[in-house]
Amino acid sequence: MLVAATGVGAGDLITASLGGSEVGLVVAWAALAGALLKWTLNEGVARWQMATGTTLLEGWVQHLHPSVQWLFLAYFLLWSFVVGGALVNACGVAGASLLPFGDPDTARIVWGVVHSLASLVIVLRGGYAWFEKAMAACVGIMAVGVVLTAGLLWLSPEEVAPVARTTGSAESSRWALAVLGGVGGTVTLLAYGYWIAERRRSGREGLVACRVDLGVAYAVTALFGASMIVIGSRIEIGGRGAGVALDIAAQIGTVLGAAGSGAFLLGFWGAVFSSILGVWQSAPYLFADFVALRRSGGAADGPIGSRAAYRWYMVAMALITPVWLLAPVRTIQLIYATLGAAFLPLLAITLLILNNRRALVRDLRNGWVVNLLLIATVLVFGYLGVRGISD
């Protein structure tokens, strides 16, 4: 549930709904395919950790050229700043939509700051236990708000909301690729290694357990993506950027009434708040782990969450990233999406290298099916990253 809640955010929900609105249910397969590719990446992270007892970041530091780790650090610092800004903005939009007051832009800024600080308190004060409970609650809210709304719209009479769809193959392909790239997480995939460490999993039995809960996680992720495509396919969405959530809610209201509109906005809020909680909790793991590895040359003793580097990085994210509230929401979302797509090919390539070395992972090496899926991941997300940068 932590994987699903962290990976389902405002960007991919909006992308899926816009895709459904533009071309209809023809892009629903992309939500399933994207979830499968993300499952492959996360299974690779778990496979490495179950075989070696070390995080993938440790594997990069110990077994790959030093340039890889420094390239990742530079990317990670930039990603943290941008993704934090995107999530703070999304939470501001969700909060202002649910409980508006005064000027809409001022309400967005205030709610963005409130969500950032609330996430900091929950994770820093409550630790992993509070984090798990808050994420479980958010998943429940997301399920009721988004999936229930999609089901009700699906069952509503077609003539209530007639929408003309684009049928061109080029347009369908463009939206399918957008949905494919948006489903699930990006750098937060690495956080899974730290979460399973909290559960003290190891060896082949641990890998079996990881495959099961990742299967559930990405089934839920695909369900949310498909639900938003269904929602988009039943209504006409005219807005873009920050206004999309309110536009979707307004259109849902014409079909399902105020209750349906409110349920969607509540589900949307659950999605973005769970994402900011997940990033605030997981990103500092990576920074603290990197600092420990550079100081000691190996894994440091003691839980990562208790280290000063972990706490200070979390505080820095919560206090610095709200400056993005002064930027247009659409701009930060586009930068965030492009950065995320650029990371996934690197992750897939390193899993192809490390998880095929018998000396490192012994009998837990990749099978040929996993290798083919990883190669497909490199090609698909490599293309999406290049296209996003060029755009």
Side-chain angles (χ1 to χ4, degrees):
M1 290 301 99
L2 298 184
V3 174
T6 303
V8 176
D12 39 315
L13 289 183
I14 289 174
T15 299
S17 61
L18 288 173
S21 182
E22 293 288 338
V23 299
L25 297 177
V26 69
V27 296
W29 67 268
L32 305 178
L36 175 62
L37 294 181
K38 296 293 178 68
W39 179 91
T40 304
L41 290 171
N42 238 339
E43 193 269 354
V45 172
R47 180 191 299 274
W48 170 265
Q49 191 154 323
M50 296 302 95
T52 65
T54 63
T55 64
L56 188 64
L57 185 58
E58 291 176 61
W60 289 352
V61 170
Q62 295 171 4
H63 301 291
L64 298 180
H65 192 274
S67 60
V68 173
Q69 56 186 281
W70 291 112
L71 177 64
F72 171 74
L73 178 64
Y75 170 88
F76 175 70
L77 294 174
L78 177 61
W79 176 88
S80 297
F81 183 54
V82 172
V83 74
L87 292 174
V88 167
N89 262 293
C91 286
V93 170
S97 300
L98 271 175
L99 297 172
F101 64 87
D103 175 63
D105 203 47
T106 301
R108 175 180 63 85
I109 293 173
V110 171
W111 280 119
V113 173
V114 167
H115 281 82
S116 180
L117 295 178
S119 300
L120 176 65
V121 171
I122 290 172
V123 178
L124 195 60
R125 176 68 180 86
Y128 189 76
W130 281 23
F131 170 66
E132 268 196 324
K133 292 175 182 177
M135 293 291 267
C138 285
V139 169
I141 292 171
M142 289 162 57
V144 172
V146 174
V147 180
L148 180 61
T149 300
L152 292 174
L153 283 174
W154 179 263
L155 296 173
S156 65
E158 183 67 33
E159 62 269 14
V160 173
V163 181
R165 303 294 170 205
T166 303
T167 57
S169 60
E171 186 73 2
S172 297
S173 298
R174 184 171 73 87
W175 280 107
L177 285 171
V179 172
L180 190 69
V183 170
T186 53
V187 176
T188 50
L189 295 177
L190 296 179
Y192 184 64
Y194 303 94
W195 291 334
I196 57 180
E198 296 275 0
R199 295 291 187 179
R200 303 186 183 279
R201 292 181 184 171
S202 62
R204 184 169 291 278
E205 289 185 0
L207 181 59
V208 171
C210 289
R211 284 171 173 166
V212 171
D213 62 33
L214 287 175
V216 174
Y218 286 106
V220 171
T221 300
L223 176 63
F224 278 107
S227 296
M228 289 303 298
I229 292 171
V230 169
I231 290 173
S233 72
R234 302 292 289 186
I235 60 177
E236 182 110 43
I237 303 174
R240 293 292 186 271
V244 172
L246 280 174
D247 189 21
I248 294 172
Q251 293 295 321
I252 290 172
T254 65
V255 182
L256 302 179
S261 175
F264 171 76
L265 286 175
L266 194 61
F268 183 79
W269 173 83
V272 297
F273 188 51
S274 64
S275 290
I276 197 172
L277 277 171
V279 171
W280 265 220
Q281 197 268 352
S282 63
Y285 272 135
L286 294 166
F287 180 75
D289 201 12
F290 186 88
V291 170
L293 289 167
R294 294 310 309 168
R295 286 177 176 174
S296 64
D301 295 329
I304 296 177
S306 65
R307 299 172 194 168
Y310 177 89
R311 296 192 298 272
W312 282 113
Y313 197 78
M314 187 193 307
V315 170
M317 287 187 67
L319 297 182
I320 295 175
T321 55
V323 301
W324 280 105
L325 289 165
L326 303 177
V329 176
R330 180 172 173 79
T331 299
I332 180 63
Q333 290 288 351
L334 286 172
I335 297 172
Y336 164 45
T338 302
L339 276 175
F343 170 73
L344 297 172
L346 171 64
L347 177 58
I349 290 170
T350 58
L351 291 173
L352 282 167
I353 294 171
L354 295 177
N355 282 355
N356 281 301
R357 291 185 182 178
R358 182 185 293 274
L360 296 178
V361 296
R362 299 181 297 281
D363 61 336
L364 292 184
R365 287 186 302 164
N366 292 343
W368 66 270
V369 174
V370 171
N371 282 328
L372 285 177
L373 287 172
L374 286 173
I375 292 170
T377 301
V378 174
L379 296 176
V380 170
F381 290 108
Y383 169 74
L384 289 174
V386 170
R387 195 186 71 173
I389 292 171
S390 65
D391 288 345

